[in-house]
Amino acid sequence: MRLPPAILGNAEEVLREILRFMSPADVTLSRYFKDHPRLGGRERGAIAECVYAVLRHKSFFTDFAGTGATMRRLTLLGMAEAIGADSLGGLTEDEVAFLARIKDIDRSLLPPKKLANLPDWLYDKFVAQYGEEETLALAAVLNTPAPLDLRVNSLKTDRDKVIAELATAPIAAEPTPYSALGLRIWKKPALQNLPLFKEGAIEVQDEGSQVLAQLLGARRGEMVVDFCAGAGGKTLAIGAIMRNTGRLYAFDVSEKRLTKLKPRLARSGLSNVHPVVIAHERDSKVKRLAGKIDRVLVDAPCSGMGTLRRNPDVKWRQQAEGIAELTEKQASILDGAARLVKFGGRLVYATCSLLDEENDGIVQGFLASHPDFELLPMHKVLAEQRIPLDMGDYLKMLPHKHGTDGFFAAVLERKAAPAKPVADESDDAAE
């Protein structure tokens, strides 16, 4: 069944706005669909997939669209990539021939930089870090759509029961290999309509993000802080690990993001979570808890280069000079969060970036200036948490190797307090 010709016009209209890169693509799409309520689910899906296809392959599409590289041609290429040229209605003979010519191009013969479909600065950084061969393998996966990962809420059910119930929908779900509570779905069903979702038995969360929550090693009855909680995906996972005991603070500088946590919190059944809006990492609300917290997670604001399968616009919106600003902020946030950790407590620094300067570089700089902290080798932490991953000192999850978004994590421990000197009894007697 072909899409009505008018849908190409809708897609072209919203694509033009998105390629200005004034706001995230998903925000622009959401606003456009809200303003066009007559678009059905199939039409919205096609438009969204068209937009994301153009964002993933913009370099290739722009180069091979020819002198008529208009928004119309980019839209046609996006639609053909996403749903197939045969599904498009209202095409001229020239447009049909144009799409056929592009389809016949053997993309494997393109120069490596064009094949990667990355901005020059990012491609060069990846090659310096990973080498050309692995960069191309990584880019090939980053330029494909991501599956949908779910986390099973262990307070309400278990993974096998959820798989069985999803099958009645019918939705096929398979267990994820690293998270014991993860499920992977290769299609995009309307989960919000399912009783499982409404009752808080499942949450949308990438498997890599679930692993990060486990690395914290939170235990029942502890005091824990999710320092950059956002909409609270990891907060909810940590709360369930704590079996709804102890006290779990969800800190964030954005009240809007924390507001999104509230309905998720209500569904989850958790009562040990306390959302707190802070002005910055040295807010008085943070200082009051200094040295009192058992475990702190810092999922720091980052470039988001590990999420390009889901957010392909990020690679075009982010600029090389912006990374330096981010690393300054990341170092400051980690320093502020570290003050919360009690002696013997755990601090986890994490990002969804693939760039060393946001990851290893931040941790090494922190350790150099904080001799009271030490790095716990990741392979030991993974074994402790029974996570079947082979890592060295750091967690580095890569889309082309692990099937997750790109994630980095380091586990740090604050050394035990130095023992107080014992008074010499002979000195006391002499006095």
Side-chain angles (χ1 to χ4, degrees), residues 140 198 204 350:
K198 293 177 181 178
V204 175

Side-chain angles (χ1 to χ4, degrees), residues 233-300:
K234 282 177 281 295
T235 306
L236 298 176
I238 295 165
I241 291 169
M242 295 169 69
R243 304 306 297 172
N244 203 19
T245 64
R247 196 168 183 86
L248 173 54
Y249 293 97
F251 286 170
D252 204 272
V253 295
S254 171
E255 185 173 5
K256 184 177 180 181
R257 284 196 292 264
L258 283 179
T259 299
K260 293 180 180 178
L261 168 60
K262 291 180 180 177
R264 302 175 77 185
L265 196 53
R267 289 196 304 267
S268 73
L270 292 171
S271 57
N272 65 336
V273 177
H274 303 272
V276 180
V277 179
I278 58 174
H280 44 71
E281 59 269 19
R282 284 167 178 76
D283 192 303
S284 60
K285 297 170 188 172
V286 178
K287 289 181 179 179
R288 283 199 291 268
L289 294 170
K292 298 178 180 177
I293 305 300
D294 295 288
R295 299 170 195 267
V296 178
L297 171 63
V298 178
D299 183 11

Side-chain angles (χ1 to χ4, degrees), residues 91-109:
L91 303 187
T92 66
E93 287 185 13
D94 285 347
E95 288 173 338
V96 171
F98 163 70
L99 289 177
R101 285 199 305 274
I102 300 299
K103 186 179 180 181
D104 286 342
I105 293 172
D106 184 351
R107 299 189 196 184
S108 67
L109 300 178

Side-chain angles (χ1 to χ4, degrees), residues 120-138:
D120 288 352
W121 71 268
L122 184 58
Y123 177 83
D124 292 341
K125 276 185 180 288
F126 280 173
V127 169
Q129 191 172 308
Y130 298 110
E132 185 176 88
E133 185 177 349
E134 187 162 1
T135 293
L136 291 176
L138 171 61

Side-chain angles (χ1 to χ4, degrees), residues 52 55-56 116-119 122 126 138-139 141-146 303-318 352 354 399 405-406:
Y52 285 117
L55 291 169
R56 290 187 181 102
N117 265 290
L118 297 169
L122 184 58
F126 280 173
L138 171 61
V141 175
L142 288 176
N143 289 324
T144 60
S303 64
M305 292 305 164
T307 69
L308 293 184
R309 294 186 303 168
R310 303 178 197 280
N311 306 299
D313 56 312
V314 168
K315 65 184 175 184
W316 307 114
R317 289 196 298 114
Q318 184 66 259
C352 54
L354 297 167
D405 285 348

